[in-house]
Amino acid sequence: MRAGLVLAMLPSWVWAQACVVETPIDDHQSVRLCQENVSIPKQLFSSGFCQPQLKGKVVTVSFVEQCPAESYGVCRNAQVQGTPYRQHIHYYGHASDGVYLSVACEKQYHGQWHDLGKR
């Protein structure tokens, strides 16, 4: 009973919250990433940040406690333009995309790129 009371008193950002976003490019490839909440209010994260709208694309979103471990790179403390909120964005798929994603991470999202060396 005590543990439940202690957990209930913790701010909502302490609990892990992430979403895996996937969309097919063609019959053989898809884009897959995972957004890990750092400072976004929990409700806003699930109702806005994890609900991408890509015109003409089917997007699948799955909510998870933490991002899967097999990412090849992470943009840490990515900031969405026009907001004070931060998230870590994990990338999956082709590690060669890291060259372009690292630039976007640092310039567009003002984050720090971490190449995890998974090829």
Side-chain angles (χ1 to χ4, degrees):
M1 179 74 167
R2 265 195 172 158
L5 181 61
V6 170
L7 287 174
M9 293 185 333
L10 292 173
S12 64
W13 55 265
V14 171
W15 293 304
Q17 183 182 24
C19 63
V20 176
V21 178
E22 191 166 6
T23 186
I25 296 173
D26 57 32
D27 291 340
H28 305 288
Q29 295 181 338
S30 65
V31 172
R32 183 173 174 233
L33 59 90
C34 182
Q35 297 169 230
E36 182 180 4
N37 192 356
V38 173
S39 67
I40 305 164
K42 189 173 185 172
Q43 183 61 29
L44 181 59
F45 183 77
S46 62
S47 67
F49 282 80
C50 283
Q51 299 301 323
Q53 302 296 315
L54 301 174
K55 189 174 183 174
K57 297 287 184 183
V58 174
V59 178
T60 303
V61 177
S62 304
F63 287 91
V64 294
E65 284 190 31
Q66 62 187 34
C67 291
E70 69 270 7
S71 67
Y72 63 80
V74 180
C75 182
R76 296 214 177 271
N77 291 310
Q79 183 176 17
V80 176
Q81 188 174 15
T83 75
Y85 305 125
R86 300 279 179 171
Q87 62 184 338
H88 302 317
I89 305 171
H90 300 249
Y91 294 94
Y92 306 86
H94 301 284
S96 59
D97 292 343
V99 173
Y100 307 104
L101 294 171
S102 65
V103 173
C105 171
E106 293 166 4
K107 302 243 185 254
Q108 184 177 353
Y109 299 118
H110 307 288
Q112 301 83 39
W113 179 257
H114 295 271
D115 187 335
L116 301 178
K118 296 183 179 175
R119 305 275 181 231

